[in-house]
Amino acid sequence: MMQSLRAIPATILPKNTINIRLAIVCLASASIGLSMALISIAKLLLVLFGFAALLFLRRTPATDKPLAGLYTPIAVLTVLFAFAISMLWTVAPTADAWGSIAKYGKLILIVLMMLLIHDRREAMYALGAFLLAQVFLLASSWMLFFHLPVPWATSNMALKEYAVFSSYLDQGIMAAVLGAVCWHLRELAPGRFGRHVAVFIAVAASLNVLFVLGGRSGHVVAIALLSLAIMWQLPRKYRAGIVLLPFVLVLLLFFSSTKVRERLTMVKTEVESYVAQTQIRTSSGIRLGLWVSAAQIIGEHPVAGAGIGSWSTEYNRIQRAKNPAHQDIPGNGNPHQEYLQWGVQLGIPGLLLLAGLMLSVLRDSLKMETPYARAAQSALAALAVACLFNSIIYDALIGDFFCVLIGLLLALGLSKATGPVIAAPQREQPT
């Protein structure tokens, strides 16, 4: 059975040819995490071709209803409708409202990836493009760490923080997800040494997050994904230990990783300073202040929120009431926490909508074979954890990363193989 599973790519990849639709899907998969210019071009092409496919392309009976019976597309469209209808009561300037609509519009990428990928052969091509780009990004970060020349690195954090195109926050989260995807899909890697290469990439990505990059969000995401991976390898009777496992990993990393120890110590110091009001202009202090203001806004608008794009307007209003000399923050800002961001704009229903979107992805992933399901659930878990500390979906690049990847993994796991269907082996240990 293990040999059969490894043979999947060899049996489905050579068939047919790559057409313009699949080329655009592969471009979108490869672009995420690279330069914003490339991401923007790929997104535009994906959106244009996606809507063209809906309107003009002839569909076969097998692809006539590609999204039938799935919860994620319904959840995405419901979320976008809720944000759009909130323009009727938003307190934000029109420019801010439309700007936020555009930012959340990236959620449609999830649906478009599921719509444009017709079978598992195409999904494997797209996954290959994603992995090649992410491995290039990972290798570039390691090269920066070893002080090798990386002339394509454009980040202002390249030399000191080893981020290639964006920030160490984004790159840390992406590397953690890359490691999880390679680990859970390692049996699908083609070639005699494919499985070993996949495991090597998973280990290299995890080490890069925990020992090279300094992003605290990346550290937390990596610890969460490692905990999930270990839990899934354990017999069922030991899985309750998942509650303690993250704390054990944090303790081990505290004494083994200088990066993790420094960042954890910094969080402790910054939080203590914020509580004592001796120093609030720190990374943690600023976040805590923003979260308090966001909670206040939700309390004032619990039923429908203050409307799309309202965070900056409402935050400035609250701060001016406390201090007339307050310097307004620019429009289209965010409280560095996705859950609170949705609560500010849509009230308590917004929090439920975000939870419903994530639960829809989870529910659809439960229909997949084990390796695909675990890869998709790991990406979803990474998103859920990262949203605790940043406005991940709202932000550019990292939001595109998750939308394209989740759509790709759902398409991969839910699509039919072009050859014989091969069930993934169940790796459960006897109870």
Side-chain angles (χ1 to χ4, degrees):
M1 182 67 75
M2 297 296 292
Q3 293 298 325
S4 298
L5 186 63
R6 292 194 189 104
I8 289 178
T11 61
I12 67 179
L13 289 182
K15 299 182 180 181
N16 301 327
T17 57
I18 297 179
N19 53 35
I20 184 63
R21 170 182 51 79
L22 183 54
I24 291 174
V25 169
C26 290
L27 175 63
S29 301
S31 69
I32 50 177
L34 303 181
S35 70
M36 278 305 303
L38 183 59
I39 294 173
S40 299
I41 294 171
K43 281 198 303 182
L44 177 61
L45 291 174
L46 192 67
V47 170
L48 291 177
F49 202 89
F51 284 109
L54 287 173
L55 293 174
F56 304 115
L57 291 189
R58 180 174 148 199
R59 304 193 68 85
T60 65
T63 61
D64 189 42
K65 296 181 180 179
L67 307 181
L70 300 179
Y71 294 92
T72 302
I74 297 173
V76 168
L77 295 178
T78 301
V79 164
L80 293 178
F81 174 78
F83 278 125
I85 201 70
S86 74
M87 291 188 72
L88 296 175
W89 64 82
T90 185
V91 301
T94 302
D96 288 1
W98 280 111
S100 292
I101 285 287
K103 285 177 176 289
Y104 283 118
K106 67 172 68 77
L107 287 167
I108 201 66
L109 298 176
I110 299 175
V111 181
L112 292 177
M113 291 294 286
M114 299 171 69
L115 177 70
L116 294 176
I117 294 176
H118 290 175
D119 55 45
R120 193 159 291 171
R121 175 192 68 89
E122 296 183 351
M124 288 297 295
Y125 274 121
L127 178 65
F130 165 80
L131 292 176
L132 286 174
Q134 293 300 312
V135 169
F136 168 74
L137 193 64
L138 175 65
S140 299
S141 179
W142 276 110
M143 290 172 67
L144 288 170
F145 177 72
F146 288 112
H147 305 293
L148 298 176
V150 184
W152 53 86
T154 58
S155 172
N156 56 10
M157 298 183 177
L159 297 180
K160 292 185 178 180
E161 301 293 346
Y162 317 118
V164 184
F165 295 110
S166 58
S167 68
Y168 59 76
L169 185 153
D170 293 343
Q171 189 158 334
I173 295 172
M174 292 188 294
V177 175
L178 170 65
V181 170
C182 286
W183 174 258
H184 294 301
L185 299 182
R186 62 193 182 279
E187 302 297 346
L188 304 180
R192 179 180 178 184
F193 301 104
R195 182 180 187 275
H196 302 288
V197 172
V199 172
F200 174 80
I201 295 171
V203 173
S206 299
L207 293 176
N208 185 257
V209 178
L210 297 171
F211 293 89
V212 175
L213 299 172
R216 287 169 289 191
S217 298
H219 295 161
V220 176
V221 168
I223 290 168
L225 297 186
L226 284 170
S227 299
L228 276 178
I230 294 172
M231 181 199 72
W232 280 324
Q233 294 298 122
L234 293 174
R236 287 186 180 275
K237 62 182 178 180
Y238 297 125
R239 289 187 178 179
I242 187 63
V243 177
L244 298 177
L245 188 54
F247 299 100
V248 174
L249 290 175
V250 168
L251 186 63
L252 292 174
L253 289 168
F254 184 84
F255 291 105
S256 61
S257 170
T258 303
K259 288 286 185 181
V260 172
R261 181 167 60 252
E262 288 177 349
R263 301 301 280 176
L264 285 177
T265 303
M266 183 182 296
V267 170
K268 177 178 179 293
T269 303
E270 290 176 351
V271 171
E272 289 175 347
S273 298
Y274 176 82
V275 172
Q277 293 294 298
T278 57
Q279 176 58 271
I280 62 175
R281 303 303 298 176
T282 61
S283 177
S284 300
I286 291 172
R287 273 181 168 78
L288 290 171
L290 295 176
W291 296 351
V292 170
S293 296
Q296 180 180 340
I297 297 169
I298 295 172
E300 294 175 359
H301 306 277
V303 177
I308 184 72
S310 58
W311 161 254
S312 294
T313 301
E314 286 294 277
Y315 177 77
N316 288 330
R317 175 183 63 82
I318 288 175
Q319 295 305 311
R320 282 196 300 269
K322 297 177 182 177
N323 176 19
H326 166 72
Q327 296 293 318
D328 287 355
I329 63 172
N332 290 128
N334 66 83
H336 292 276
Q337 220 260 26
E338 193 72 51
Y339 301 98
L340 293 176
Q341 174 90 342
W342 288 46
V344 166
Q345 297 174 108
L346 299 175
I348 294 175
L351 299 173
L352 297 177
L353 277 174
L354 181 52
L357 175 62
M358 293 182 178
L359 287 174
S360 296
V361 175
L362 176 62
R363 188 160 184 176
D364 285 339
S365 74
L366 295 176
K367 302 174 184 178
M368 303 177 186
E369 298 161 8
T370 301
Y372 308 110
R374 290 180 177 176
Q377 289 161 13
S378 294
L380 178 62
L383 174 63
V385 171
C387 283
L388 291 169
F389 310 103
N390 300 279
S391 295
I392 294 295
I393 300 174
Y394 191 74
D395 286 344
L397 194 146
I398 190 64
D400 298 311
F401 172 87
F402 275 108
C403 289
V404 170
L405 178 59
I406 287 174
L408 168 59
L409 292 175
L410 288 175
L412 175 67
L414 295 170
S415 60
K416 295 180 180 179
T418 52
V421 176
I422 303 174
Q426 299 296 319
R427 287 193 161 252
E428 303 291 347
Q429 300 291 333
T431 57

